[in-house]
Amino acid sequence: MAEFEPRVFSGVQPTGNLHLGNYLGALVRFVELQDRFSCIYCVVDLHAITQAVNIWGGPSELTRAIREVTAAFLASGIDPQKHIVFNQSQVAEHAELAWVFNCVARMGWLNRMTQFKEKAGKNRENASVGLFAYPNLMAADILAYRATHVPVGEDQKQHLELTRDIAQKFNIDFAESIAENGHGDAFFPLTEPLITGPATRVMSLRDGTKKMSKSDPSDYSRINLTDDADMIAQKIRKARTDPEPLPGEVDGLEHRAEAANLVGIFAALDGRTPADVLGEYGGGQFSTFKVALAELATTKLAPINDEMRRLLADPGHIDKVLNDGAQRARAIAAPVMAAVKDIVGLRPHGG
Ligand code: TYM
């Protein structure tokens, strides 16, 4: 198989509030990877509009949310000069490649996507075509840069498997042309998901069997990156638990979803393992643990919260970061798209 230059790509939707799940499952990992990879981090605004307008809030809310997610990237420690930060709609190659992938992916593959079923709900007939084809656009996001590694939370695993299926089918369907055009035996890499650490699936604070999510109607189910210290403490105090003390060993968290979730959050925030956290708090009451967790969460999140506010006070600066990032992203994606056109036979093209 052909060798590909290592490159990280990931995206976050500008819809609703960014929460602790997004932070621990994605942003913290994005930051860590900067030392080892060249990284591209994208605010996926075209994905946001796949749902009904009342869900993403309309034009001015979308613009605000794009800047807010960008501010969260920067405040978490992503360096937009060494790496690339931009919003998806500004690089036309995403939508262009997604069309080609609409013609590669099979209806049967997309019919199996659990996230479409969840998001479309009972009324599938009324879901947008964009929501159905959403994973093809996600594959295009990644493969427009021929990215080799994608850090995400566990909920995106199925979409990344589909990305690999699309890459593989393209490589096979066009094998001859790929070779003729000088790209060896594969044009797209089979991208690896990076789903690791104690917080790949942060659960709701109200129900340990449900994922922490932007769309949960209860604000007490999640900690938002914009929550202040009082709000964070209140939400953790009210978080659902069971009547038993914390176990001393990780095995003891089995069948105790809420306890496992809070211990996982603590571990992820403090860069420790759950076993280590239980070594300190095992045998104790939740009330004591919750006070420590609230303090830890506030200490970690307050500086991010402050920095986001500072950045959002100067939208001109955020827009400059996005425009500069889009220009650099385009420089990578344009030749890839031109090569795809050559491979597929969509000639003559502009370049
Ligand atoms: P989105 O915007 O829903 O979420 C952004 C990231 O946060 C992770 N995440 C979580 N991790 C742990 N626990 C949780 N409760 C939790 N909730 C969300 C998500 O897994 C994700 O990593 N389809 C993607 C966006 C996307 C993308 C891409 C990602 C578009 N194109 C290309 C990677 C590569 C999404 O809706 O993420």
Side-chain angles (χ1 to χ4, degrees), residues 2 10 19 31 39-40 50 103 142 157 185 189 191-192 226-227 282 293 318-319 321 329 344 348:
S10 199
H19 52 70
V31 172
C39 304
I40 303 178
T50 57
C103 305
I142 297 164
K157 191 167 174 224
D185 61 357
T191 305
E192 269 185 55
T226 47
D227 286 344
L293 178 57
I318 295 186
D319 293 355
V321 166
V344 176

Side-chain angles (χ1 to χ4, degrees), residues 147-227:
T148 52
H149 296 81
V150 178
V152 281
E154 206 181 275
D155 61 343
Q156 297 301 316
K157 191 167 174 224
Q158 196 185 31
H159 288 156
L160 291 183
E161 282 160 9
L162 186 95
T163 300
R164 290 166 70 96
D165 290 343
I166 289 175
Q168 189 156 33
K169 185 163 164 53
F170 183 92
N171 287 343
I172 293 171
D173 284 357
F174 297 103
E176 219 171 288
S177 183
I178 287 170
E180 275 166 21
N181 279 281
H183 302 292
D185 61 357
F187 183 70
F188 287 123
L190 301 184
T191 305
E192 269 185 55
L194 298 175
I195 307 174
T196 53
T200 56
R201 191 172 175 80
V202 176
M203 307 309 275
S204 155
L205 298 179
R206 306 301 293 161
D207 177 351
T209 63
K210 278 190 0 204
K211 188 180 75 170
M212 185 178 284
S213 132
K214 294 171 189 173
S215 56
D216 194 312
S218 165
D219 200 50
Y220 276 85
S221 69
R222 62 183 161 260
I223 291 172
N224 301 309
L225 285 192
T226 47
D227 286 344

Side-chain angles (χ1 to χ4, degrees), residues 255-269:
H255 308 301
R256 295 182 66 186
E258 282 85 13
N261 190 38
L262 293 183
V263 170
I265 291 174
F266 195 113
L269 279 172

